[in-house]
Amino acid sequence: MMKKLAIGQQDFPNLIHKDCIYVDKTKCIYELMESGGSTFFLSRPRRFGKSLLLSTLKAAFEGKRDLFKGLYIEDKIDWEPHPVIMLDMSKDASSSEVLKLGLSLSLKTEAAFHQVDLGLYEDAPAAMLSQLIALLYLKTGRQVVVLIDEYDKPVLDQMHDLDNANEIRKVLQGFYGVLKASSAHLKFLMVTGITKVSQTSIFSGFNNLNDISFKEQYAGICGYTQTELEHDFASHIDALAKHNEASKEDTLVEIKHWYNGYSWDAKTFVYNPYSVLLLLDKLRFNPHWYSTGTPTFLLKLLKTGDNLETVMQDKIEVFETFTDGQALENLGTIALLFQSGYLTIKGFNKKEQFYELQIPNEEVRRAISELVLLITRPCSSWP
């Protein structure tokens, strides 16, 4: 009997309990935990497995060894439990006040789970986070793990309104600034997102925040490699081939054409996991990721007049630092298209220190054609 496909499943314990396919990324997790560092940032496009990665980290730091049976990390760490605070920043934040309310509610939920009392801090989420970290450290005698998913989404979603975006940024700046002040109580901090917005204090406050987005060692931390695809999804690929009356070899070639090609080091290339799962479920080659993977902020920025014809070129050459120093008032279109998954690294010129960017695959090529049409439509028709 084939294992289930984990479509939309971002919670690692649920995925394991429901006997879904889990592509083992715990070697990368082990290397992060044992690297000697404690603060990390990872940029990947939406729907690329960042939330599942953080959920897996959470379970590992909580000492839930029983969930990791048969996985790489099972016999590699001591499984001493630590208190974990996990924050999902992808929730509605249409204004600074809505954001503060959402953060306060999330922290109250975390405090209730850990059975600690935050006191009278409901209107000050930064103070609540500081207090929660300190209380968990005092209660357990162990350093705290903080995992932040989609750290940049609240501000990016308001990029069409810079005044509002800046008010939201100020809230985030104070909120994330607490993490540096609490560093003595932190064992591990992992932040994921799309961009590196310099004014949010994540990057200006943490001088030692280790950006692993382009590191060769972690190039396959999200997405499926060719080996993982063929090994973990073998039965499902057979079913797809049978359904389409094609050979397995031809089916693998077609899957690669549609959904492979993403790279952050020009050496390791991975498949879009969301698209692969939907392909194997629906048994149809379609641009599955586009309907849910395109950030609204990108559509709105492109609507302001940026030309997508550049992206359709055979290759785009950019300096190695092309994603650094992004400010709200000056977000580079090429960097954003890369970070959003519309471009990827196909080569690196060591002598001149520049990347060669290209469209990763057929799915994205079709999605860009849709984007060209979409940005000419009225705002009311956008997703």
Side-chain angles (χ1 to χ4, degrees), residues 349-377:
N349 187 315
K350 291 184 179 180
K351 182 179 179 180
E352 302 295 333
Q353 298 292 295
F354 65 77
Y355 289 117
E356 294 179 356
L357 306 182
Q358 291 181 352
I359 295 170
N361 52 44
E362 180 64 22
E363 176 178 44
V364 177
R365 190 171 290 105
R366 295 195 182 196
I368 288 175
S369 298
E370 287 289 328
L371 268 181
V372 172
L373 296 174
L374 190 59
I375 62 176
T376 64
R377 298 173 190 168

Side-chain angles (χ1 to χ4, degrees), residues 73 212 235 282 314 324 358:
I73 205 173
I212 63 170
S235 297
K282 297 179 182 299
D314 288 339
D324 291 344
Q358 291 181 352

Side-chain angles (χ1 to χ4, degrees), residues 127-161:
M128 290 177 72
L129 178 59
S130 177
Q131 181 78 343
L132 181 57
I133 292 171
L135 288 173
L136 291 178
Y137 179 74
L138 289 172
K139 179 180 179 180
T140 64
R142 293 171 180 166
Q143 288 180 302
V144 180
V145 173
V146 177
L147 307 171
I148 301 177
D149 198 14
E150 304 261 23
Y151 91 99
D152 51 350
K153 190 174 187 297
V155 67
L156 291 179
D157 279 356
Q158 300 303 317
M159 285 304 303
H160 59 289
D161 182 350

Side-chain angles (χ1 to χ4, degrees), residues 95-154:
S95 69
S96 59
E97 291 304 313
V98 172
L99 174 61
K100 285 193 287 186
L101 177 60
L103 290 173
S104 297
L105 290 173
S106 294
L107 291 169
K108 285 177 68 176
T109 300
E110 288 286 326
F113 174 79
H114 290 287
Q115 297 182 318
V116 295
D117 183 6
L118 287 180
L120 303 175
Y121 288 99
E122 292 191 11
D123 295 326
M128 290 177 72
L129 178 59
S130 177
Q131 181 78 343
L132 181 57
I133 292 171
L135 288 173
L136 291 178
Y137 179 74
L138 289 172
K139 179 180 179 180
T140 64
R142 293 171 180 166
Q143 288 180 302
V144 180
V145 173
V146 177
L147 307 171
I148 301 177
D149 198 14
E150 304 261 23
Y151 91 99
D152 51 350
K153 190 174 187 297

Side-chain angles (χ1 to χ4, degrees), residues 86-331:
M86 186 164 171
L87 298 173
D88 177 4
M89 305 296 289
S90 67
K91 299 171 184 175
D92 176 52
S94 55
S95 69
S96 59
E97 291 304 313
V98 172
L99 174 61
K100 285 193 287 186
L101 177 60
L103 290 173
S104 297
L105 290 173
S106 294
L107 291 169
K108 285 177 68 176
T109 300
E110 288 286 326
F113 174 79
H114 290 287
Q115 297 182 318
V116 295
D117 183 6
L118 287 180
L120 303 175
Y121 288 99
E122 292 191 11
D123 295 326
M128 290 177 72
L129 178 59
S130 177
Q131 181 78 343
L132 181 57
I133 292 171
L135 288 173
L136 291 178
Y137 179 74
L138 289 172
K139 179 180 179 180
T140 64
R142 293 171 180 166
Q143 288 180 302
V144 180
V145 173
V146 177
L147 307 171
I148 301 177
D149 198 14
E150 304 261 23
Y151 91 99
D152 51 350
K153 190 174 187 297
V155 67
L156 291 179
D157 279 356
Q158 300 303 317
M159 285 304 303
H160 59 289
D161 182 350
L162 276 179
D163 289 339
N164 193 28
N166 271 308
E167 289 301 311
I168 289 172
R169 177 191 58 79
K170 291 176 185 177
V171 176
L172 294 177
Q173 189 171 28
F175 188 73
Y176 294 141
V178 165
L179 297 170
K180 182 179 181 181
S182 304
S183 58
H185 294 158
L186 295 182
K187 178 176 179 61
F188 187 94
L189 168 66
M190 181 78 171
V191 179
T192 74
I194 294 179
T195 62
K196 289 178 67 176
V197 181
S198 58
Q199 308 114 309
T200 53
S201 88
I202 279 285
F203 301 101
S204 57
F206 274 94
N207 295 327
N208 62 335
L209 187 64
N210 186 359
D211 184 356
I212 63 170
S213 303
F214 296 90
K215 284 199 171 184
E216 184 177 338
Q217 182 180 5
Y218 304 111
I221 196 169
C222 291
Y224 304 148
T225 65
Q226 187 69 34
T227 300
E228 289 168 341
L229 175 81
E230 294 187 35
H231 177 268
D232 292 13
F233 298 96
S235 297
H236 288 278
I237 292 170
D238 287 339
L240 175 65
K242 182 178 180 180
H243 180 269
N244 289 335
E245 299 180 347
S247 69
K248 185 170 185 178
E249 291 73 20
D250 288 345
T251 300
L252 286 169
V253 169
E254 190 74 356
I255 298 173
K256 188 172 186 177
H257 172 69
W258 270 85
Y259 306 115
N260 191 274
Y262 292 94
S263 181
W264 286 266
D265 68 346
K267 295 179 181 179
T268 299
F269 289 86
V270 298
Y271 288 82
N272 182 320
Y274 183 76
S275 297
V276 167
L277 291 174
L278 284 183
L279 164 69
L280 298 178
D281 177 60
K282 297 179 182 299
L283 304 177
R284 292 178 63 86
F285 289 93
N286 277 324
H288 301 294
W289 168 78
Y290 173 68
S291 61
T292 60
T294 304
T296 302
F297 79 85
L298 181 60
L299 295 176
K300 291 173 179 175
L301 285 178
L302 292 175
K303 183 67 176 178
T304 63
D306 291 298
N307 197 335
L308 280 173
E309 290 180 5
T310 303
V311 183
M312 303 298 286
Q313 297 175 9
D314 288 339
K315 65 180 180 180
I316 302 168
E317 295 181 353
V318 294
F319 287 113
E320 190 176 7
T321 56
F322 77 109
T323 62
D324 291 344
Q326 292 172 282
L328 295 185
E329 295 78 11
N330 188 31
L331 293 172

